[in-house]
PDB file of all heavy atoms in Angstrom:
ATOM      1  N   GLU T 289     -14.135  -2.935   5.139  1.00  0.00           N
ATOM      2  CA  GLU T 289     -15.560  -2.789   5.419  1.00  0.00           C
ATOM      3  C   GLU T 289     -15.785  -1.940   6.669  1.00  0.00           C
ATOM      4  O   GLU T 289     -16.724  -1.139   6.720  1.00  0.00           O
ATOM      5  CB  GLU T 289     -16.204  -4.162   5.583  1.00  0.00           C
ATOM      6  CG  GLU T 289     -16.321  -4.939   4.277  1.00  0.00           C
ATOM      7  CD  GLU T 289     -16.773  -6.363   4.482  1.00  0.00           C
ATOM      8  OE1 GLU T 289     -16.381  -6.983   5.501  1.00  0.00           O
ATOM      9  OE2 GLU T 289     -17.509  -6.874   3.629  1.00  0.00           O
ATOM     10  N   ARG T 290     -14.927  -2.114   7.664  1.00  0.00           N
ATOM     11  CA  ARG T 290     -15.058  -1.314   8.882  1.00  0.00           C
ATOM     12  C   ARG T 290     -14.817   0.159   8.593  1.00  0.00           C
ATOM     13  O   ARG T 290     -15.552   1.030   9.071  1.00  0.00           O
ATOM     14  CB  ARG T 290     -14.084  -1.837   9.941  1.00  0.00           C
ATOM     15  CG  ARG T 290     -14.225  -1.185  11.309  1.00  0.00           C
ATOM     16  CD  ARG T 290     -13.240  -1.762  12.298  1.00  0.00           C
ATOM     17  NE  ARG T 290     -11.865  -1.490  11.903  1.00  0.00           N
ATOM     18  CZ  ARG T 290     -10.797  -1.953  12.567  1.00  0.00           C
ATOM     19  NH1 ARG T 290     -10.951  -2.721  13.638  1.00  0.00           N
ATOM     20  NH2 ARG T 290      -9.572  -1.666  12.163  1.00  0.00           N
ATOM     21  N   MET T 291     -13.809   0.469   7.791  1.00  0.00           N
ATOM     22  CA  MET T 291     -13.526   1.861   7.462  1.00  0.00           C
ATOM     23  C   MET T 291     -14.645   2.469   6.622  1.00  0.00           C
ATOM     24  O   MET T 291     -15.035   3.632   6.824  1.00  0.00           O
ATOM     25  CB  MET T 291     -12.196   1.971   6.728  1.00  0.00           C
ATOM     26  CG  MET T 291     -11.863   3.395   6.277  1.00  0.00           C
ATOM     27  SD  MET T 291     -11.837   4.587   7.645  1.00  0.00           S
ATOM     28  CE  MET T 291     -10.265   4.141   8.399  1.00  0.00           C
ATOM     29  N   GLN T 292     -15.176   1.715   5.670  1.00  0.00           N
ATOM     30  CA  GLN T 292     -16.272   2.232   4.863  1.00  0.00           C
ATOM     31  C   GLN T 292     -17.483   2.544   5.728  1.00  0.00           C
ATOM     32  O   GLN T 292     -18.174   3.555   5.531  1.00  0.00           O
ATOM     33  CB  GLN T 292     -16.644   1.224   3.773  1.00  0.00           C
ATOM     34  CG  GLN T 292     -17.579   1.803   2.720  1.00  0.00           C
ATOM     35  CD  GLN T 292     -16.947   2.947   1.935  1.00  0.00           C
ATOM     36  OE1 GLN T 292     -15.965   2.748   1.229  1.00  0.00           O
ATOM     37  NE2 GLN T 292     -17.485   4.160   2.069  1.00  0.00           N
ATOM     38  N   LEU T 293     -17.756   1.688   6.718  1.00  0.00           N
ATOM     39  CA  LEU T 293     -18.859   1.947   7.645  1.00  0.00           C
ATOM     40  C   LEU T 293     -18.609   3.229   8.438  1.00  0.00           C
ATOM     41  O   LEU T 293     -19.515   4.056   8.607  1.00  0.00           O
ATOM     42  CB  LEU T 293     -19.028   0.760   8.600  1.00  0.00           C
ATOM     43  CG  LEU T 293     -20.027   0.963   9.744  1.00  0.00           C
ATOM     44  CD1 LEU T 293     -21.425   1.255   9.214  1.00  0.00           C
ATOM     45  CD2 LEU T 293     -20.036  -0.266  10.661  1.00  0.00           C
ATOM     46  N   ALA T 294     -17.383   3.407   8.909  1.00  0.00           N
ATOM     47  CA  ALA T 294     -17.056   4.612   9.682  1.00  0.00           C
ATOM     48  C   ALA T 294     -17.304   5.871   8.860  1.00  0.00           C
ATOM     49  O   ALA T 294     -17.891   6.845   9.348  1.00  0.00           O
ATOM     50  CB  ALA T 294     -15.609   4.558  10.152  1.00  0.00           C
ATOM     51  N   LEU T 295     -16.862   5.871   7.615  1.00  0.00           N
ATOM     52  CA  LEU T 295     -17.063   7.046   6.765  1.00  0.00           C
ATOM     53  C   LEU T 295     -18.542   7.270   6.463  1.00  0.00           C
ATOM     54  O   LEU T 295     -18.999   8.416   6.354  1.00  0.00           O
ATOM     55  CB  LEU T 295     -16.261   6.899   5.476  1.00  0.00           C
ATOM     56  CG  LEU T 295     -14.742   7.011   5.650  1.00  0.00           C
ATOM     57  CD1 LEU T 295     -14.025   6.617   4.364  1.00  0.00           C
ATOM     58  CD2 LEU T 295     -14.335   8.421   6.068  1.00  0.00           C
ATOM     59  N   THR T 296     -19.306   6.201   6.350  1.00  0.00           N
ATOM     60  CA  THR T 296     -20.743   6.339   6.132  1.00  0.00           C
ATOM     61  C   THR T 296     -21.410   6.999   7.339  1.00  0.00           C
ATOM     62  O   THR T 296     -22.288   7.859   7.196  1.00  0.00           O
ATOM     63  CB  THR T 296     -21.369   4.961   5.852  1.00  0.00           C
ATOM     64  OG1 THR T 296     -20.787   4.412   4.673  1.00  0.00           O
ATOM     65  CG2 THR T 296     -22.874   5.076   5.660  1.00  0.00           C
ATOM     66  N   LEU T 297     -20.984   6.613   8.550  1.00  0.00           N
ATOM     67  CA  LEU T 297     -21.547   7.209   9.763  1.00  0.00           C
ATOM     68  C   LEU T 297     -21.257   8.705   9.837  1.00  0.00           C
ATOM     69  O   LEU T 297     -22.011   9.462  10.462  1.00  0.00           O
ATOM     70  CB  LEU T 297     -20.989   6.508  10.999  1.00  0.00           C
ATOM     71  CG  LEU T 297     -21.435   5.057  11.207  1.00  0.00           C
ATOM     72  CD1 LEU T 297     -20.680   4.436  12.382  1.00  0.00           C
ATOM     73  CD2 LEU T 297     -22.939   4.972  11.445  1.00  0.00           C
ATOM     74  N   LEU T 298     -20.184   9.135   9.182  1.00  0.00           N
ATOM     75  CA  LEU T 298     -19.812  10.549   9.217  1.00  0.00           C
ATOM     76  C   LEU T 298     -20.700  11.417   8.330  1.00  0.00           C
ATOM     77  O   LEU T 298     -20.475  12.626   8.233  1.00  0.00           O
ATOM     78  CB  LEU T 298     -18.338  10.711   8.833  1.00  0.00           C
ATOM     79  CG  LEU T 298     -17.368  10.341   9.956  1.00  0.00           C
ATOM     80  CD1 LEU T 298     -15.938  10.278   9.432  1.00  0.00           C
ATOM     81  CD2 LEU T 298     -17.478  11.328  11.105  1.00  0.00           C
ATOM     82  N   ARG T 299     -21.729  10.858   7.743  1.00  0.00           N
ATOM     83  CA  ARG T 299     -22.760  11.684   7.114  1.00  0.00           C
ATOM     84  C   ARG T 299     -23.474  12.547   8.159  1.00  0.00           C
ATOM     85  O   ARG T 299     -24.078  13.557   7.824  1.00  0.00           O
ATOM     86  CB  ARG T 299     -23.777  10.792   6.398  1.00  0.00           C
ATOM     87  CG  ARG T 299     -23.214  10.125   5.148  1.00  0.00           C
ATOM     88  CD  ARG T 299     -24.257   9.224   4.516  1.00  0.00           C
ATOM     89  NE  ARG T 299     -23.822   8.737   3.207  1.00  0.00           N
ATOM     90  CZ  ARG T 299     -23.964   7.471   2.790  1.00  0.00           C
ATOM     91  NH1 ARG T 299     -24.538   6.578   3.580  1.00  0.00           N
ATOM     92  NH2 ARG T 299     -23.543   7.123   1.600  1.00  0.00           N
ATOM     93  N   ASP T 300     -23.406  12.115   9.405  1.00  0.00           N
ATOM     94  CA  ASP T 300     -24.087  12.795  10.514  1.00  0.00           C
ATOM     95  C   ASP T 300     -23.296  14.034  10.923  1.00  0.00           C
ATOM     96  O   ASP T 300     -22.168  13.944  11.405  1.00  0.00           O
ATOM     97  CB  ASP T 300     -24.206  11.828  11.692  1.00  0.00           C
ATOM     98  CG  ASP T 300     -25.125  12.330  12.787  1.00  0.00           C
ATOM     99  OD1 ASP T 300     -25.298  13.560  12.911  1.00  0.00           O
ATOM    100  OD2 ASP T 300     -25.655  11.484  13.529  1.00  0.00           O
ATOM    101  N   ALA T 301     -23.881  15.203  10.741  1.00  0.00           N
ATOM    102  CA  ALA T 301     -23.196  16.468  11.025  1.00  0.00           C
ATOM    103  C   ALA T 301     -22.905  16.677  12.505  1.00  0.00           C
ATOM    104  O   ALA T 301     -22.113  17.562  12.856  1.00  0.00           O
ATOM    105  CB  ALA T 301     -24.027  17.636  10.503  1.00  0.00           C
TER     106      ALA T 301
END
Side-chain angles (χ1 to χ4, degrees):
E289 289 172 324
R290 186 179 64 184
M291 177 57 75
Q292 192 63 64
L293 172 60
L295 290 170
T296 299
L297 292 173
L298 283 170
R299 290 178 171 136
D300 191 334

